[in-house]
Amino acid sequence: MRHGKKVNHLSRQTGHRKAMLANMACSLIEHKRINTTVAKAKALKQFVEPLVTKSKEDTTHNRRTVFAYLRSKYAVTELFRDVAAKVGDRPGGYTRIIKLGNRLGDNADMAMIEFVDFNEIYNGGKKEVKKAKSRRGGVKAKKAEGAAETPATEESSESAE
């Protein structure tokens, strides 16, 4: 039974595993997407998402905590400057894992892990702005706006002729 065994050891000793995840996280932060095996991608997701959450609040303590994990000044700067600016309003789920199929050499399951907000294909290149919905007066307000706009457009079209 595997009760309470949350960490996937990836067939590596602790030091090697931490170094590998730190290097993969630095590559992910730098390139915004990387290709790896599915098991490593899942382990990397658990490793990098708490760091992104910490980067939302730019304090010296958070920077030092993240640097202790990543061990790269460039990656920490990039994370706190660019990545945190894009994911500032997102409550979680900063990465996405897309399965790619099997690798030719050893038939390993491959996946692409990427930051969600940096993919222009899925986001359509622009971000939708959500309006606060109200249960009261929403229909009347919309009708009033529509009625106010309709005569103005009719008058402008008549004056143009």
Side-chain angles (χ1 to χ4, degrees), residues 18-150:
K18 286 182 179 178
M20 183 190 66
L21 288 173
N23 289 335
M24 289 174 65
C26 291
S27 296
L28 178 64
I29 291 166
E30 182 182 350
H31 299 293
K32 310 304 186 253
R33 79 174 51 144
I34 57 172
N35 291 338
T36 183
T37 62
V38 173
K40 287 180 188 173
K42 289 179 180 178
L44 180 61
K45 184 173 183 135
Q46 287 181 342
F47 182 83
V48 80
E49 293 221 355
L51 302 180
V52 177
T53 303
K54 281 200 177 294
S55 72
K56 287 175 157 184
E57 186 180 352
D58 192 3
T59 62
T60 306
H61 177 68
N62 284 347
R63 278 184 178 263
R64 287 178 177 168
T65 305
V66 170
F67 181 75
Y69 283 95
L70 293 180
R71 306 174 204 153
S72 168
K73 283 185 183 179
Y74 175 76
V76 171
T77 304
E78 182 88 8
L79 179 65
F80 276 84
R81 186 174 296 152
D82 297 335
V83 177
K86 281 226 177 181
V87 301
D89 56 343
R90 182 177 288 275
Y94 311 111
T95 57
R96 170 189 300 130
I97 296 176
I98 300 171
K99 295 186 180 179
L100 299 176
N102 295 340
R103 186 161 51 195
L104 288 177
D106 59 354
N107 208 30
D109 287 335
M110 296 299 289
M112 177 176 64
I113 182 168
E114 65 182 1
F115 283 117
V116 173
D117 292 323
F118 286 91
N119 190 334
E120 291 82 21
I121 296 170
Y122 286 146
N123 295 344
K126 61 180 181 277
K127 189 173 182 180
E128 297 179 14
V129 178
K130 293 183 181 178
K131 290 187 177 181
K133 293 184 180 179
S134 175
R135 300 282 296 184
R136 296 184 176 191
V139 176
K140 290 182 183 177
K142 288 182 184 176
K143 286 183 181 177
E145 289 176 11
E149 292 175 6
T150 307

